[in-house]
Amino acid sequence: MKLFIDTGSVAETEEIAAWGVLSGATTNPSLLAKEHGDPGDIIRRICELVDGPVSAEVVSSEPEGMVEEGKALASLHEHVVVKVPFSRAGLAATRELTTHGHRVNMTLVFSASQALLAAEAGATYVSCFMGRLDDISIGSAEVLAEIVAALRAGGPESQVLAASLRHPMHAVVAAKLGCEVATAPGKVLRQMLDHPLTEAGIERFGADWRARPEFGAWLEGLVRSGKVPVS
Ligand code: G3P
């Protein structure tokens, strides 16, 4: 499963892209509205940082407006994927955009039947919001499992993108269910790093090594001897 960052923040993307784990990013109007600066500049910079698909969302409610906005957003950078909210208008816009070669991430999909429609309209990604389902006491894992099964049963090839991740277990569940992508906010990606045994293990290895100072000198020498001389 590929990991995307769900953000509107260039600084956060820069921080986490440096870990080498990001394959793409998703933005949405709410995330971008929290940031200072030109949204186009932000989207372009995030595209450069993740060097992969970056979803940028349309806000019109009519198909024509969605298509116009989608084409304009796609012109910002070759990595932009047009994010279109699920609706009748969204399906029509998705068909039109994909017919003209644009990739679409159909968002706000909360059921397998909606996912089937999104896939038939040509969406490259079908985004299901796990956290928002759990918020209203609908089990996100069950819904996601149905979506994955429905889209794998045949027909057009759409990737299932798990979104609205609120904690690391959402990412693990999405991976186990066979989602192709999970997009997580910076906070959740940082939480995925932590384990007390990892920290304790690093501390123990360091302390044992430092107890033999001659080993430190040996390693330094090894590093120096392996360095290609600067000509
Ligand atoms: O990008 C869409 C989605 O991930 C939003 O998450 O936390 O606002 O439900 P959330």
Side-chain angles (χ1 to χ4, degrees):
M1 184 181 74
K2 294 200 180 310
L3 281 176
F4 289 6
I5 184 166
D6 194 28
T7 191
S9 161
V10 169
E12 191 171 59
T13 309
E14 205 158 6
E15 174 204 332
I16 294 170
W19 303 353
V21 300
L22 293 181
S23 298
T26 49
T27 68
N28 66 38
S30 311
L31 291 169
L32 287 169
K34 285 190 215 158
E35 302 297 321
H36 298 291
D38 177 71
D41 291 343
I42 293 173
I43 291 165
R44 270 194 221 98
R45 185 68 189 125
I46 293 177
C47 285
E48 290 166 5
L49 286 166
V50 299
D51 196 21
V54 175
S55 296
E57 189 159 343
V58 301
V59 291
S60 282
S61 50
E62 297 307 318
E64 299 73 24
M66 288 176 171
V67 170
E68 275 177 13
E69 288 174 7
K71 286 180 178 170
L73 290 167
S75 75
L76 287 172
H77 196 282
E78 59 180 337
H79 289 331
V80 169
V81 172
V82 183
K83 202 173 183 188
V84 177
F86 186 88
S87 63
R88 289 173 175 79
L91 289 169
T94 297
R95 169 52 67 204
E96 178 70 12
L97 284 163
T98 54
T99 300
H100 288 92
H102 297 292
R103 289 175 298 168
V104 168
N105 172 1
M106 179 141 264
T107 190
L108 294 167
V109 169
F110 292 100
S111 71
S113 56
Q114 289 182 329
L116 287 170
L117 292 172
E120 286 299 328
T124 300
Y125 301 101
V126 174
S127 285
C128 174
F129 284 16
M130 299 184 78
R132 293 194 195 181
L133 279 165
D134 292 336
D135 286 347
I136 59 163
S137 306
I138 297 176
S140 59
E142 288 72 21
V143 174
L144 208 50
E146 273 203 356
I147 291 175
V148 171
L151 295 192
R152 293 298 156 271
E157 291 207 349
S158 296
Q159 301 187 33
V160 181
L161 191 157
S164 183
L165 271 56
R166 301 281 166 76
H167 48 70
M169 282 314 291
H170 272 151
V172 174
V173 167
K176 286 167 81 174
L177 290 173
C179 294
E180 283 81 8
V181 185
T183 189
K187 180 183 163 211
V188 172
L189 290 164
R190 285 184 210 99
Q191 287 172 332
M192 288 170 75
L193 289 172
D194 296 332
H195 197 291
L197 291 178
T198 303
E199 283 136 40
I202 290 171
E203 183 52 42
R204 168 89 67 88
F205 288 147
D208 289 345
W209 193 256
R210 285 192 297 277
R212 298 290 301 271
E214 72 277 24
F215 280 14
W218 167 80
L219 187 55
E220 256 179 53
L222 186 69
V223 170
R224 269 201 305 274
S225 69
K227 276 201 178 140
V228 181
V230 185
S231 56

